[in-house]
Amino acid sequence: MDQSRRFFKPLNRWYQQILPNYCVLCDSPSAHPLCNFCVSNLPIIEHCCERCALPLPADAELCGECLQRPPAFDSAISVFSYQAQIPWLINQFKHRRQHAIGKQLTRACVNALPSNADYDQIIPVPLHWARLLQRGFNQAERIAMPVARHLQRPLVRAVRKTRLSKHQQNLTRKQRLANAKLNFEVCRDVDQQRILLVDDVMTTGATLESISTLLRRAGAAEITVLTLARTPKQTTYK
């Protein structure tokens, strides 16, 4: 097996040099899954709620929900609005194992981090072991790994998924909160730790809210959420 890998690795590099790759969105030649033109046209969040990263008009600092009921986490960073090409791209990464797409989107996450960002632990949102076995990888962990390397901070699997829950795509916010409430437990020391909690998409925020509440109870000093994408208000479940 090792000998065959040594043989095919340079051969694969040679093929990549003589055969063009193509952008997954426009089919133009590209060295990456997305060409520069398509990357420049992705729906970047220009202005958002300082607490939950919900896209907002430029003159607003907090969304109405965070004003009324602030979440358990302190702030959130999200790069893309979950619309246009983003749902398809994340689906390709998450369910079709297109890891190169995930890597390219994650680079945007790394670039979106504040220059003074400083955390003690980078914690990915966990998958239940059965879902992990089925999918083969945890997309939140794939996002968190290059972030942890960039920040030179440890990736810590401090939260465990204790119960296999049904998919949440078609659930309301209330149903998502009830679904997530008993699904997680903290399994590592987070006392007085500044935490960056990483996931792929924030829709209603129910999962991130539930995990952040548990981390608070375990003594976490500060929690920032980082996601690839945030669902805008007009398509967010109420």
Side-chain angles (χ1 to χ4, degrees), residues 21-208:
N21 293 318
Y22 293 92
C23 174
V24 297
L25 293 179
C26 72
D27 287 333
S28 62
S30 173
H32 304 288
L34 297 168
C35 68
N36 292 336
F37 176 79
C38 286
V39 167
S40 68
N41 283 281
L42 292 178
I44 297 285
I45 296 177
E46 300 290 347
H47 187 78
C48 63
C49 174
E50 295 177 358
R51 193 71 184 258
C52 74
L54 182 75
L56 290 177
D59 59 346
E61 295 182 358
L62 294 173
C63 68
E65 188 153 340
C66 286
L67 284 170
Q68 295 178 12
R69 292 179 299 175
F73 47 86
D74 297 284
S75 61
I77 302 167
S78 198
V79 182
F80 302 106
S81 181
Y82 193 70
Q83 55 187 336
Q85 311 95 331
I86 292 298
W88 184 84
L89 290 170
I90 291 180
N91 181 71
Q92 293 298 300
F93 164 47
K94 189 172 175 177
H95 299 295
R96 303 287 182 177
R97 301 188 182 216
Q98 297 297 314
H99 299 301
I101 292 176
K103 287 180 181 178
Q104 193 167 4
L105 295 178
T106 298
R107 281 198 291 273
C109 262
V110 170
N111 294 335
L113 290 168
S115 58
N116 61 347
D118 193 13
Y119 310 99
D120 298 308
Q121 296 183 12
I122 315 301
I123 300 178
V125 169
L127 284 180
H128 187 270
W129 66 265
R131 192 84 71 204
L132 183 61
L133 190 64
Q134 178 187 42
R135 186 171 297 167
F137 70 101
N138 177 0
Q139 70 279 357
E141 195 166 302
R142 288 295 179 97
I143 299 165
M145 285 190 289
V147 171
R149 285 196 298 269
H150 172 77
L151 295 172
Q152 298 184 333
R153 291 293 183 267
L155 186 150
V156 182
R157 298 173 182 87
V159 181
R160 180 186 296 124
K161 185 80 177 285
T162 57
R163 190 164 61 104
L164 182 62
S165 55
K166 55 187 176 182
H167 289 291
Q168 300 199 123
Q169 283 89 340
N170 298 316
L171 301 182
T172 65
R173 174 175 171 78
K174 185 176 181 180
Q175 289 170 330
R176 285 173 180 242
L177 283 168
N179 196 33
K181 191 174 182 180
L182 301 176
N183 285 353
F184 302 97
E185 66 178 13
V186 176
C187 55
R188 298 284 292 274
D189 181 19
V190 297
D191 190 42
Q192 298 303 308
Q193 298 291 288
R194 297 165 300 169
I195 289 167
L196 184 66
L197 182 62
V198 181
D199 205 2
D200 58 339
V201 180
M202 189 193 307
T203 303
T204 65
T207 296
L208 294 161

Side-chain angles (χ1 to χ4, degrees), residues 210-229:
S210 296
I211 293 175
S212 296
T213 298
L214 291 173
L215 292 170
R216 288 287 191 203
R217 290 175 183 168
E222 183 181 323
I223 304 169
T224 300
V225 166
L226 175 67
T227 59
L228 291 179

